[in-house]
Amino acid sequence: MTAYVSNSGAEYLDLTLPYRVREGELFPLLPGTELELLSQALGLGVRTRGKVAGHQEEGVVRVECRDPLEAFQRRVMPRIDIPVGLRYARGQGHLRSLRAKWEKQLELLQAPQAEQPSFPYCPVNLSGGGIRFNFREAPRIAEVCLLLLELSPQTPPVCALAEVVWLRPAEKPGLQAVGMQFTHIRKADQDRICRFVTEVQKQQAQAAQTPTES
């Protein structure tokens, strides 16, 4: 989840959340919820741990932070540029309803004799941690989308919630390149993406080493 520091004290941070929540709703940050707070760029970052102390006002959460800041280097997941089947729905709703839609979609995909949707294929940049592809209408930073990804034909799709973390103009005029990180994804599906990326990288490396006939 994305949050912005709006105020701070000796042992607390006030975090502003960019998501829609119903008035008076504390989900998913209930008092006492333990959090790991990260700030990172270019593979380097700092982190600390804290606990939700309460809500100062709508959309502002106070987190008690007693652990010292710790520097770390982010483990970079392998990623590839490849066409995959893709369907997405932009996040229209609140955090609780978006998570419920994701859970419901997982149930539908796993149901016996479930009819699998058809997918248009488009170029993406994919890793086990997230995805990049082009939008015609740029979303907002921290907007959450429901994604269905078909890694290859005749394979069950991956269903995930993903959050927009950056935007930039795409190479093709009129499009926006959008980087998203997965916020809700089954461990088995994330592992499947990682295996898929690794296998494609091996195939690409073997193809590059194969001499061409003149």
Side-chain angles (χ1 to χ4, degrees):
M1 297 177 62
T2 296
Y4 305 102
V5 177
S6 57
N7 192 21
S8 64
E11 294 185 342
Y12 73 86
L13 294 173
D14 286 344
L15 304 180
T16 300
L17 305 179
Y19 310 101
R20 295 174 60 194
V21 293
R22 293 182 176 86
E23 184 177 355
E25 184 177 51
L26 304 183
F27 178 86
L29 300 179
L30 302 174
T33 301
E34 294 185 355
L35 302 174
E36 182 178 53
L37 306 179
L38 308 174
S39 179
Q40 56 186 339
L42 302 176
L44 300 175
V46 293
R47 63 188 167 200
T48 186
R49 292 169 179 80
K51 183 179 295 186
V52 175
H55 289 238
Q56 301 302 102
E57 56 187 89
E58 185 176 349
V60 179
V61 179
R62 175 157 293 183
V63 179
E64 293 179 346
C65 301
R66 301 186 182 276
D67 288 1
L69 289 176
E70 174 188 357
F72 70 95
Q73 185 168 3
R74 183 180 62 183
R75 182 175 68 88
V76 179
M77 288 187 172
R79 53 193 320 116
I80 54 170
D81 292 310
I82 192 170
V84 300
L86 174 65
R87 287 188 177 277
Y88 66 89
R90 294 177 60 174
Q92 302 298 321
H94 302 81
L95 284 176
R96 186 185 294 275
S97 62
L98 289 170
R99 177 166 178 167
K101 289 178 182 178
W102 172 67
E103 292 172 342
K104 181 63 175 179
Q105 187 64 59
L106 285 176
E107 290 180 5
L108 293 174
L109 293 173
Q110 296 168 8
Q113 308 300 322
E115 183 178 349
Q116 300 298 333
S118 59
F119 289 87
Y121 270 62
C122 69
V124 306
N125 181 269
L126 180 67
S127 78
I131 188 172
R132 182 192 76 219
F133 59 95
N134 293 338
F135 278 67
R136 290 197 176 277
E137 296 182 5
R140 306 181 311 276
I141 294 293
E143 184 172 336
V144 179
C145 295
L146 178 68
L147 304 183
L148 287 176
L149 303 172
E150 184 180 72
L151 302 181
S152 57
Q154 287 78 53
T155 60
V158 170
C159 180
L161 287 181
E163 177 188 57
V164 176
V165 292
W166 58 259
L167 305 168
R168 68 176 181 227
E171 294 181 1
K172 190 173 181 180
L175 298 179
Q176 284 282 326
V178 178
M180 312 181 79
Q181 66 180 3
F182 299 132
T183 61
H184 293 72
I185 185 171
R186 293 191 315 158
K187 179 66 166 55
D189 286 335
Q190 190 170 45
D191 290 345
R192 187 151 63 98
I193 291 175
C194 291
R195 290 194 300 270
F196 173 76
V197 169
T198 299
E199 183 59 32
V200 172
Q201 285 182 326
K202 289 180 180 178
Q203 294 173 1
Q204 292 174 343
Q206 291 171 355
Q209 294 173 0
T210 302
T212 57
E213 296 182 1
S214 59

